[in-house]
Amino acid sequence: MAPKYVYFFGNGSADGKSDMKHLLGGKGANLAEMTNLGIPVPPGFTITTEVCDAYYKNNKKYPDGLAKEIEQNLSRLEKLMGAKLGDPANPLLVSVRSGAAASMPGMMDTVLNLGLTPDAVAGLIKKTNNERFVWDAYRRFITMFGDVVMGVERHYFEEILDAYKKKARIKSDTELTSDQLKKIVEEFKSVYKKKTRENFPTDPKVQLQKAIEAVFASWNNPRAVKYRQLYEIKGLLGTAVNIQTMVFGNMGNHSATGVCFTRNPSTGENKFYGEFLINAQGEDVVAGIRTPEPIAHLEKEMPAVYKQLVAYKNTLENHFKDVQDIEFTIQENRLFMLQTRTGKRTTHAAVKIAVDMVKEGLIDKKVAIARVNPSELDQLLHPTFDPKAKKQIIATGLPASPGAATGRVVFNAEDAEKWALEKKEKVILVRKETSPEDIGGMHVSRGILTTRGGMTSHAAVVARGMGKCCVAGCGALQVDYKSQSFKVNSKLIKKGDYISIDGSTGEVMLGMVPTIEPGLSGDFATLMQWADEARKLKIRTNADTPADAKKARELGAEGIGLCRTEHMFFGECRIDSVRQMILSAPDVKIFKAKIAGLEKELQKCASNKTDALRKELMQVRKELKEPMNLYTSALKKLLPMQRRDFEQIFTAMDGLPVTIRLLDPPLHEFLPQEEHNQKDMAKQMKISLKEVQEKVSALHELNPMLGHRGCRLGITYPEIYDMQIQAIIEAACNVKKKGVAVYPEIMLPIISTVQEFDLLKDSVHGIAKAVMQKKNAQIEYLVGTMIELPRATLIADKIAKQAEFFSFGTNDLTQMTFGFSRDDVGSFVPEYLEKGILEKDPFQVIDQEGTGQLVEIGIKKGRSTRPQLKIGICGEHGGDPQTISFCHNVGMNYVSCSPFRVPIARLAAAQASLQQPISRATV
Ligand code: ADP
Ligand code: MG
Ligand code: MG
């Protein structure tokens, strides 16, 4: 059977229906559906998206048989309407409308009033007895046909129209007289001829054919292509073309056109919402040529029509069970519906509408959960800029961490702290990039703005963790630390000047832009509760401070999946002790090795030769004393601080598990790199600046990310991990005595061999046992590991024999799998995305094909030796809905994400479990 290219709708029945959007486009499918529902829709027919597809595949040739089908459907339409295209006695006018399966508002083209020719004009004037209306329709037609079909830009026509209005001293098109419009039409025609070197076509069939072709062509106009890229609209065949009988809202004061929503799309309130214009046509409402009136006024102006409109909007919402965005036209008191589609709405409205509709019995909870986009919940959790406020945007960077921040510019962490804490100023920290040394300053800033680095740069990750607004990688800013200012274009912004940054859009704005505070509304809480009932995954949080832990718990976290102990090291005055510990550690190590060597020699050698050795040993011991003192005193200072941190975090998470990762990052992150910091260290350690600098450079690594970090530190400088383990267990004992239910999970980072794990696990158990004995307490704790190196995934079965839990550290795993440095991806990943080499940034959405495969291997192998192995994810990916769906499908037990992403994760996990029931039996 030959394929059907054209679908008719009219007279109460249609060939198509609403679920044929892929073939008929959203507009065409719903015009058919409305027709079938008995709603008054001007009849017409739809040329399928398959034709568009074939047209492009076939070198812009239409498939055989299309012309005939169009001819047949046009005849059918003409018969139904009792009017004929171009007929001088009773001309049929049509619109030629684009419409793809996905809504792309305003991206493609539409031509109205097609079929007007000098003959048709005469006929229509006679038939309607409304000369003004006919000339108005004609001038509109020439404009749209000229613009859409022939590429004569609109402004050529608009200038003529404006000149007439000016001459007549009138503001609105509606005041133009019939004579004026007639003259305007003549002028339009000559502009058309001048620009196209053709007469305006007088054969309506030619008009139709050209308009159809233009609508197909609009599928690939640059703005439509860009739009599809931006919104990741893929897999569509093309646009459909709808040829539809015209109805006229421009026939006088009993005619109108309008757009409405069945509910308020901005607040979600269940109240009819919309606008209309008397004596106007289609695009006038949206184009903003005249100010439309609120829909409520229609009730006064045309009560009967209003009543009908309300009835139809109710029918449509009940039928589609979702908010509808509707176009309508009133022709001399008769109402016609021209389009209906799912209404776009703010997140706030989406939540309210979903919850309301369940309460109204229109949808069930599952549908409600699916209706809200988890990623957008961000908007409900951070202050946002008042949409009514005026903004002067000076640059745009990456929207790295949502929120709206206003404050005075400072260029280093120290100033940030000084201004924020002492002067109580709101500050925005502007840096080329941030480093762990800036944590304190970042913490007190309202927002963070960097010129380099991507969505997973230090600034971005830390800011998201803190729930703080951040715009990263804003390359347009030229920051000059020396003069404490930055330049953008020709503007100079100095320290102390006010700026505002929007972490949801990446915009950088001049001055103070007012914000509005978020409200955790009752509906939001209700939706979250439904999500909790539906999900299988547990949701934990990445939290390093009691404040974060508390916040996350408020937002529904069921434990901490990652507590990074090093972040505690940057607090207050701790960094000095940490630096002292690190700078003295290598010396201690060297001396200890020397002593061990000498002692061994001493045992072996004859008694008459020992004197020299003994002397040397004494000497070395003396030399060791200084670094050893520094080392142990630093550790001693750190122990109670860490213990206190853990006590507070355990207390905040009373009754919930807390996964604590032992020291992980490369050492250089802690080292004093700037001279004034090095001088401070020299003073504290009572050594020279030069010695400090030598120690710093001795610890320098060529590739710190692949260097001396994680468990490698724990093995080579065991005292550091020992101190941390002691602090954890002591803290657990202390809070348990106060009645807190405490479940520490000690996590070892960067494990790549079973031997590493075994060694460290033994020391955890050893210390834990000693502490518990001393404190006379029993703590239920687990020892597990991060799985973040490809090797670890491959030997996960062996590791799982020892490890009680796995937590996939997908930041490092992605880095190691791709061999992409996390800190340098900004220089090439954007281009990779543009060129389609990567579909998504693999540091934001897990790369299922590669990294994900390693995760699956790790899970499968791990559970092969320990079937009940508890498995989670703690990388940045843990808060990404797509990754969460992956985690659900591979059978993880939980995901862990930054506190402000917890609600996102709860909803995404619910959506994952409603979409794809897990097949795995292990969970
Ligand atoms: P878009 O997809 O950009 O909204 P449309 O095809 O919906 O484009 O048409 C643009 C405007 O013209 C809309 O306001 C629509 O209601 C109006 N319109 C389209 N077809 C007709 C018609 N047959 N009669 C009256 N108005 C129409
Ligand atoms: Mg429309
Ligand atoms: Mg890691």
Side-chain angles (χ1 to χ4, degrees), residues 394-692:
I394 49 172
T396 305
L398 297 170
S401 178
T406 286
R408 307 179 77 161
V409 171
V410 292
F411 291 92
N412 58 54
E414 238 163 276
D415 282 347
E417 286 184 81
K418 218 183 288 162
W419 285 37
L421 301 175
E422 289 167 24
K423 299 196 201 166
K424 306 269 176 256
E425 292 276 8
K426 293 179 185 169
V427 299
I428 299 217
L429 178 61
V430 181
R431 301 281 305 163
K432 288 181 183 162
E433 58 208 349
T434 62
S435 76
E437 292 182 41
D438 300 328
I439 294 270
M442 293 169 81
H443 198 77
V444 297
S445 299
R446 292 291 160 133
I448 296 143
L449 171 61
T450 67
T451 60
R452 288 191 214 131
M455 299 286 283
T456 52
S457 61
H458 179 266
V461 173
V462 172
R464 279 199 293 275
M466 293 175 173
K468 196 169 293 278
C469 168
C470 173
V471 172
C474 190
L477 307 189
Q478 290 169 289
V479 169
D480 182 25
Y481 288 140
K482 241 197 215 136
S483 64
Q484 297 274 294
S485 66
F486 70 79
K487 253 199 201 143
V488 54
N489 298 323
S490 55
K491 275 212 165 54
L492 183 74
I493 282 98
K494 293 197 289 282
K495 178 175 165 183
D497 290 350
Y498 274 100
I499 62 166
S500 299
I501 59 175
D502 188 332
S504 309
T505 61
E507 287 164 348
V508 181
M509 292 151 283
L510 227 48
M512 290 193 273
V513 179
T515 56
I516 41 183
E517 280 302 311
L520 270 188
S521 72
D523 290 328
F524 189 19
T526 306
L527 188 75
M528 282 296 118
Q529 195 193 322
W530 295 344
D532 292 346
E533 289 162 15
R535 68 185 158 87
K536 301 275 190 314
L537 280 171
K538 294 252 177 207
I539 311 298
R540 294 199 191 182
T541 190
N542 299 351
D544 311 329
T545 64
D548 281 354
K550 240 180 94 200
K551 181 86 226 169
R553 204 171 179 168
E554 275 167 31
L555 296 173
E558 296 162 297
I560 291 182
L562 176 64
C563 173
R564 310 174 187 87
T565 49
E566 61 272 13
H567 279 194
M568 305 171 175
F569 282 2
F570 287 103
E572 302 152 43
C573 46
R574 302 166 183 204
I575 185 70
D576 289 342
S577 299
V578 174
R579 285 177 173 156
Q580 181 172 322
M581 168 182 86
I582 288 166
L583 290 173
S584 50
D587 284 346
V588 171
K589 200 169 177 64
I590 293 166
F591 288 126
K592 274 190 167 174
K594 258 196 205 165
I595 290 171
L598 287 169
E599 280 176 340
K600 221 173 177 183
E601 235 177 282
L602 202 59
Q603 274 176 3
K604 277 192 287 179
C605 80
S607 57
N608 58 345
K609 285 186 187 162
T610 56
D611 273 6
L613 275 176
R614 277 185 208 284
K615 223 167 147 194
E616 197 183 341
L617 193 57
M618 251 168 64
Q619 182 58 30
V620 177
R621 284 220 167 101
K622 222 171 108 192
E623 280 175 38
L624 173 62
K625 213 174 142 200
E626 208 36 47
M628 199 64 198
N629 269 348
L630 286 171
Y631 192 49
T632 46
S633 73
L635 286 165
K636 252 191 211 141
K637 259 190 240 158
L638 287 169
L639 176 72
M641 296 182 194
Q642 290 242 290
R643 191 171 52 219
R644 190 156 26 95
D645 291 331
F646 294 135
E647 283 170 2
Q648 289 174 354
I649 287 179
F650 289 149
T651 308
M653 297 310 272
D654 186 0
L656 299 175
V658 176
T659 305
I660 298 163
R661 178 179 71 185
L662 301 185
L663 191 66
D664 173 60
L667 288 181
H668 81 285
E669 286 198 8
F670 299 106
L671 294 176
Q673 305 291 359
E674 311 215 353
E675 196 170 293
H676 71 268
N677 288 331
Q678 294 175 341
K679 274 187 186 150
D680 277 356
M681 278 328 291
K683 209 149 109 204
Q684 274 180 43
M685 294 173 69
K686 301 197 181 76
I687 53 178
S688 69
L689 175 63
K690 198 163 155 255
E691 273 174 283
V692 170

Side-chain angles (χ1 to χ4, degrees), residues 27 42 93-99 104-112 144 244-249 257-259 281-284 286 327-329 338-339 341:
K27 203 177 284 169
L93 301 195
V94 295
S95 62
V96 179
R97 316 171 68 185
S98 58
M104 298 166 54
M107 290 301 120
M108 293 182 302
D109 295 321
T110 284
V111 180
L112 303 183
M144 290 182 104
Q244 188 178 21
T245 307
M246 279 302 297
V247 287
F248 303 101
T257 184
V259 182
Q281 211 177 41
E283 71 290 350
D284 291 1
V286 205
E327 288 173 7
F328 66 91
T329 283
L338 287 166
Q339 190 173 347
R341 63 184 160 207

